[in-house]
Amino acid sequence: PPEAMADTGHAYNVVQSYGSYWQPVDQVRAFLDRVAAAGAFAAIYPYPCPEFVNPASVWGQPLTAAEEADLRLRVRALKDHPGLLAWYMADEPELRPALPARCRRIYEIVRDEDPFHPCIMLNDTEAGIVRYRGGGDVLMPDPYPLFIRDGLAAQPLEKIGRFIRTAREAGGGRQAVWITPQGFNYGDYGQENNRGPRLVELRNMLYQAAVYGARGFLWYTYSQVANYPDLDIGMRWLSREVADLKPYLLAADAEGLAV
């Protein structure tokens, strides 16, 4: 919640909203008011209603003229808010699957109406990163390792670096690369034998992404922090560490080096 962003015990400055398309403009602006009052920023969907994303089959259809008009009105109504950081374009569109042309057209409209806030595209697969790269200014994959109870991870931690490298190559130097690392336990969603990541694993994911070129880190999800000390105390500490290292994490690549 926005009020948690005002807590001085951490250094995070961005909150992600996944439900803005359920709310009218005045409610979204009220939410952004709370975000700005906390000294933070938010990434939100540009969509004016749930019908833009539900059912999943809508993603397979070209954008209609009526949808384009409604989308433009929504962006115009929110783009001036000081609490807005970015537009969140799609969450794992390859799993619907989405029509790339639809995602591209949505991006073109939002960019046309608001060229001053970046558009974020999140993907769950390397193939998806490449297929939907035309849908945003920022490529922000979520390569979750899925941590296993009494074990390590269902997928190698090297997955983090591989996804970031793919995003950098897909963007060709013209798109920013961020990451949504796994800061939650799949077991809380019903997945058997899963656990939340430990602090050393959280730290590994973050710095591995940084080494491969990620420059923004928007973790999922805050809702479980009360359940696990590593996500509560550990993430607060890690955010402070990252804030101290910001000049180095945002520095240009050293010449002659490659990952």
Side-chain angles (χ1 to χ4, degrees), residues 194-237:
N194 272 237
R195 62 172 174 82
R198 305 181 182 100
L199 176 57
V200 66
E201 292 162 332
L202 295 167
R203 200 165 182 264
N204 181 295
M205 287 188 286
L206 189 146
Y207 286 112
Q208 188 182 158
V211 164
Y212 277 85
R215 296 294 181 263
F217 311 90
L218 191 51
W219 293 80
Y220 187 85
T221 174
Y222 176 82
S223 62
Q224 293 186 7
V225 297
N227 298 345
Y228 309 102
D230 287 89
L231 296 183
D232 186 3
I233 302 170
M235 288 293 290
R236 291 170 182 266
W237 177 83

Side-chain angles (χ1 to χ4, degrees), residues 108-137:
E108 291 172 345
I109 292 170
V110 175
R111 181 188 60 188
D112 181 54
E113 291 292 335
D114 178 16
F116 301 108
H117 293 96
C119 298
I120 299 173
M121 173 60 68
L122 181 142
N123 294 105
D124 180 66
T125 63
E126 290 182 84
I129 294 172
V130 176
R131 189 178 188 201
Y132 297 98
R133 61 188 171 185
D137 305 296

Side-chain angles (χ1 to χ4, degrees), residues 1 8 18 48 110 116 139 178 212 228 242:
T8 58
Y18 290 92
V110 175
F116 301 108
L139 304 180
W178 297 357
Y212 277 85
Y228 309 102
V242 171

Side-chain angles (χ1 to χ4, degrees), residues 27 72 78 93 96 102 114 140 170 177 203 219 221 224 246:
Q27 290 185 21
R72 288 185 183 277
L78 296 171
R96 277 141 178 84
R102 179 183 178 90
D114 178 16
M140 188 176 75
V177 176
R203 200 165 182 264
W219 293 80
T221 174
Q224 293 186 7
K246 183 186 291 188

Side-chain angles (χ1 to χ4, degrees), residues 236-250:
R236 291 170 182 266
W237 177 83
L238 187 59
S239 75
R240 290 292 190 186
E241 181 181 81
V242 171
D244 289 343
L245 294 174
K246 183 186 291 188
Y248 307 100
L249 294 174
L250 297 182

